[in-house]
Amino acid sequence: MRSALLLLLLLAVCAASHAAIFREAPQFFNSPDCPSLADDLEKRNEKGQHHCFNHAVHVAMTLDTAYIRGSMAAVLSVLQHSSCPQSVIFHFVYSASANASSLHATVSHSFPYLKFQLYPFDDEAASRLISTSIRSALDCPLNYARSYLANLLPTCVARVVYLDSDLILVDDIAKLAAHPLGGESVLAAPEYCNANFTAYFTPSFWSNPSLSLTFANRKACYFNTGVMVIDLDRWRAGDYTTKIEEWMELHKRLRIYELGSLPPFLLVFGGGISPVDHRWNQHGLGGDNIRGLCRDLHPGPVSLLHWSGKGKPWARLDANRPCPLDALWAPYDLLQTPFSIDS
């Protein structure tokens, strides 16, 4: 009897996720000042590389049924505020065990003119390196796909903006994509040097000199990996995926941190990134990782709002318990309600 009830519950969850229907977004057009992609298109088609435009802004995101509502809202916000929306190319990474055709159809239906490509991610291989963290969502293998973008995306893509699915932009993404990386930095992101950096690692890490000396001579600051500009050529040249994996393997044995995919990035890149203005990641709007309480914006201008943390705006809106800032996310929600479907 218990097994039968469990099966019915699982079927109900699956039916609910498949029943989600998203309406079609408006079509957005480039301004007259945007560089033409026509020449790029002709050249790339000759090589069979349809998503390798020189003048494009490349955006990478993960795509799954649990967060697809957030992903669709994020895409809409990028296009709506871009001066050259037809020059934005999306690279969606999905779990290899997911239904790729369904994900493709969902995106195509809402954004029929979008330039995008889907890439399968071997989450089974990644899961062998993952240790449990303080929130189960952080342990999802797809959450680690950002460490493998250099391997997944075509080698012709030299620079990409990585975005989480729980955010919206209210500014032109081309400004973020053009952020200078300097002579050596592999990635750029907003830094937060007033955060308690030591809290991201366990006491056993800091008490072991061979580990804690990792940050010697480095002014390591916290940065959120949900918004990053990545030089994929430099990443590939430095084999940074392997460096991240080595820290994950060590963590499996010694338990040196608590928070999912973030600490390996801090270990490898902390103190060596190109800092981006804080306006490009007003993060933490989802509250902490335990309770997900409401939070206010940080002081200063806003170009990107990020509901990192436990609370997600769509879940709070559906539960009729929204936080005040969730109202800023709602206009980008493409979910078609049963009432609007019937009408």
Side-chain angles (χ1 to χ4, degrees), residues 101-338:
S101 59
S102 175
L103 293 172
H104 192 282
T106 298
V107 176
S108 296
H109 171 75
S110 288
F111 303 100
Y113 305 101
L114 191 70
K115 298 180 180 69
F116 74 94
Q117 182 71 31
L118 267 63
Y119 306 85
F121 177 62
D122 186 1
D123 48 0
E124 192 171 310
S127 64
R128 291 194 289 268
L129 293 169
I130 298 174
S131 304
T132 57
S133 59
I134 62 174
R135 185 162 64 91
S136 59
L138 301 175
D139 301 333
C140 174
L142 198 59
N143 196 42
Y144 291 77
R146 70 196 81 193
S147 302
Y148 296 88
L149 293 176
N151 301 337
L152 294 168
L153 272 57
T155 55
C156 61
V157 179
R159 174 181 286 220
V160 69
V161 178
Y162 174 81
L163 298 176
D164 272 351
S165 298
D166 53 356
L167 55 78
I168 58 169
L169 275 79
V170 291
D171 202 343
D172 192 343
I173 194 171
K175 299 177 185 176
L176 176 61
H179 181 84
L181 289 174
E184 297 181 357
S185 294
V186 176
L187 62 87
E191 279 188 317
Y192 303 90
C193 295
N194 59 341
N196 182 7
F197 190 81
T198 58
Y200 295 98
F201 303 93
T202 61
S204 60
F205 172 86
W206 294 113
S207 63
N208 186 331
S210 64
L211 297 178
S212 59
L213 284 175
T214 300
F215 294 112
N217 303 317
R218 291 164 61 182
K219 186 184 178 183
C221 300
Y222 161 78
F223 63 92
N224 181 280
T225 55
V227 179
M228 297 184 289
V229 182
I230 306 174
D231 187 313
L232 294 177
D233 286 341
R234 292 180 182 178
W235 184 295
R236 295 176 184 116
D239 194 16
Y240 285 99
T241 296
T242 298
K243 291 179 171 64
I244 288 175
E245 286 183 333
E246 288 171 349
W247 280 112
M248 293 175 66
E249 289 169 353
L250 182 65
H251 175 62
K252 291 281 286 188
R253 292 187 281 114
L254 300 180
R255 191 75 185 183
I256 58 176
Y257 53 78
E258 299 292 348
L259 276 173
S261 63
L262 169 63
F265 267 84
L266 298 179
L267 287 160
V268 174
F269 297 109
I273 72 170
S274 177
V276 176
D277 191 283
H278 289 179
R279 69 187 304 154
W280 287 104
N281 196 352
Q282 285 270 356
H283 68 288
L285 304 185
D288 59 48
N289 282 306
I290 305 299
R291 295 173 297 171
L293 300 177
C294 297
R295 286 185 178 173
D296 294 327
L297 289 174
H298 306 288
V302 180
S303 291
L304 184 151
L305 299 101
H306 187 186
W307 280 262
S308 57
K310 184 179 181 181
K312 302 306 174 189
W314 55 89
R316 295 192 293 217
L317 287 164
D318 285 352
N320 201 27
R321 298 177 62 185
C323 291
L325 291 176
D326 295 344
L328 300 177
W329 181 89
Y332 301 93
D333 186 11
L334 287 172
L335 183 68
Q336 201 158 347
T337 63

Side-chain angles (χ1 to χ4, degrees), residues 3 84 90 99 306 332:
S3 299
C84 302
F90 285 86
N99 187 332
H306 187 186
Y332 301 93

